[in-house]
Amino acid sequence: MAASLLESPFLSNRQLFSTTHHSFQPQKPIPMYYCVPFSRSSSACPLRLCAVGENVDSLALPPLAKVVAEDSVQDNRVSLERSKDRRKVVKLAWEKLVRWSRYWRSKAKTDVLERTKKVVVLGGGSFGTAIAAHVAHRKAELEINMLVRDPEVCRSINESHCNCKYFPEHKLPENVIATTDAKAALLCADFCFHAVPVQFSSSFLKGIADYVDPGLPFISLSKGALKNVLAIAAGIVEGLNLGNNSMAALVAQGCSEIRWLGTKMGAKSTTLTGLSGTGDIMLTCFVNLSRNRTVGVRLGSGEKLDDILNSMNQVAEGVSTAGAVITLAQKYKVKMPVLTAVARIIDNELTPAKAVYELMNLPQVEEV
């Protein structure tokens, strides 16, 4: 017994048991397989499953370079086909857009411009001047009358063909004429563009009402009612150096507030999200040339409102209309946190830093 314990369990043929000393014997041999590379000169190559005893040298093994090349060609073919399909889709989409735009252009063509002989622009500010120049360029025979209040601006437009106050370097078309005489400006006019800031509109229109034909079409270009107040808020964020994330959050919230009030007053939400709404808001909030944004930047930097306004030669409409916006919000029962904060800052009831802190502590809601 002791001797058997010391003996090796393996037989001379390296088997653990002999065929005469165990009861289990397999009925047929179990095949064993192993993997060999296609190219034995490299370890990083495809493998092939081979049975035990199979002559590896007799296998038809393609060279590694050929296998890789064939795979690469196939991949390139697939990639090329996908690229062709993508380009075909993009080209088709662009052709549809071009056809769509041509259709709408042809549909929008009217004879209004051909029938129009005289257009009046109320206001001699930067926007009124730009509109006058744009319309004048459409038709050389068209008479454009700008009704302005400043005699110096009137003289510079008629003598030098430029607005000395706002666009001293920009040459205006010769068919743009300025006047301070409301009766002469409105006589026989076909259209009237109202480009007076909203805070002055009421008094301005009362002064010319006697000379306005009741059937004269008015096109309002006045801006002031909401986006300018938001632009002041955006400027304050810039002046406080709060960063891009804070700016994006504030402008997004302000756009929502404008949409809430506008829809309650009967506006279409699609109008507010288009170029005349969101497009104008983005331009006013993010561009350094914006007067209202500049006011906000200087407020956020610590300057006093009176000092800011006294140093400006243009009107920052948001300063005057912030309070009116809040009155509308209360009338239509719409809560507007961002625009209300701007009104409180303008009224010197809240510092910019304190206003931001209070806004950040308000709950985030979908609509208020």
Side-chain angles (χ1 to χ4, degrees), residues 282-311:
M282 297 303 172
L283 183 66
T284 309
C285 289
F286 299 141
V287 177
N288 291 330
L289 295 176
S290 167
R291 301 186 297 271
N292 294 279
R293 183 182 186 276
T294 300
V295 170
V297 171
R298 296 175 67 177
L299 283 172
S301 301
E303 293 188 52
K304 299 295 183 182
L305 180 61
D306 291 339
D307 296 335
I308 297 172
L309 297 180
N310 290 333
S311 66

Side-chain angles (χ1 to χ4, degrees), residues 128-149:
T129 304
I131 291 298
H134 175 70
V135 175
H137 279 301
R138 298 291 302 276
K139 183 179 177 181
E141 301 80 15
L142 190 62
E143 181 182 344
I144 309 296
N145 276 213
M146 292 181 62
L147 180 58
V148 301
R149 293 177 296 178

Side-chain angles (χ1 to χ4, degrees), residues 82-310:
R82 289 177 178 174
S83 178
K84 288 181 178 179
D85 291 342
R86 180 188 62 80
R87 293 174 63 182
K88 184 177 180 180
V89 170
V90 172
K91 183 179 180 181
L92 181 61
W94 181 253
E95 290 175 351
K96 288 182 177 180
L97 283 173
V98 171
R99 290 196 297 270
W100 170 80
S101 65
R102 288 174 180 170
Y103 167 76
W104 279 107
R105 284 182 181 179
S106 63
K107 190 176 181 180
K109 285 183 178 179
T110 64
D111 60 347
V112 173
L113 188 61
E114 296 178 2
R115 291 187 285 104
T116 303
K117 297 179 179 180
K118 182 178 180 180
V119 171
V120 178
V121 177
L122 305 181
S126 58
F127 195 41
T129 304
I131 291 298
H134 175 70
V135 175
H137 279 301
R138 298 291 302 276
K139 183 179 177 181
E141 301 80 15
L142 190 62
E143 181 182 344
I144 309 296
N145 276 213
M146 292 181 62
L147 180 58
V148 301
R149 293 177 296 178
D150 191 334
E152 185 179 355
V153 171
C154 180
R155 185 168 53 256
S156 69
I157 291 175
N158 292 332
E159 296 178 0
S160 305
H161 298 291
C162 69
N163 190 321
C164 62
K165 190 174 182 180
Y166 298 106
F167 298 114
E169 305 297 329
H170 185 81
K171 207 74 172 178
L172 296 174
E174 293 187 1
N175 54 335
V176 174
I177 303 170
T179 181
T180 57
D181 186 349
K183 183 178 181 180
L186 291 163
L187 184 64
C188 298
D190 296 306
F191 287 95
C192 181
F193 288 88
H194 182 275
V196 179
V198 289
Q199 61 266 34
F200 305 127
S201 293
S202 181
S203 59
F204 187 93
L205 292 173
K206 285 179 181 179
I208 67 170
D210 293 339
Y211 311 113
V212 177
D213 187 327
L216 178 63
F218 265 68
I219 301 174
S220 178
L221 306 176
S222 295
K223 303 182 295 180
L226 294 172
K227 59 104 179 183
N228 288 320
V229 182
L230 180 56
I232 293 176
I236 290 173
V237 170
E238 180 72 19
L240 290 171
N241 294 316
L242 297 180
N244 294 330
N245 289 339
S246 297
M247 177 71 74
L250 177 124
V251 173
Q253 172 65 28
C255 288
S256 296
E257 294 178 13
I258 292 174
R259 186 180 71 253
W260 298 338
L261 179 60
T263 52
K264 284 291 182 67
M265 294 178 66
K268 294 181 180 179
S269 60
T270 52
T271 301
L272 298 172
T273 55
L275 288 176
S276 61
T278 303
D280 198 19
I281 288 173
M282 297 303 172
L283 183 66
T284 309
C285 289
F286 299 141
V287 177
N288 291 330
L289 295 176
S290 167
R291 301 186 297 271
N292 294 279
R293 183 182 186 276
T294 300
V295 170
V297 171
R298 296 175 67 177
L299 283 172
S301 301
E303 293 188 52
K304 299 295 183 182
L305 180 61
D306 291 339
D307 296 335
I308 297 172
L309 297 180
N310 290 333

Side-chain angles (χ1 to χ4, degrees), residues 51-91:
V52 175
E54 187 175 1
N55 186 0
V56 177
D57 293 331
S58 65
L59 297 176
L61 304 178
L64 176 61
K66 183 178 180 181
V67 174
V68 173
E70 291 178 352
D71 290 344
S72 178
V73 170
Q74 182 65 21
D75 290 343
N76 288 338
R77 287 175 180 171
V78 173
S79 178
L80 184 62
E81 290 299 323
R82 289 177 178 174
S83 178
K84 288 181 178 179
D85 291 342
R86 180 188 62 80
R87 293 174 63 182
K88 184 177 180 180
V89 170
V90 172
K91 183 179 180 181

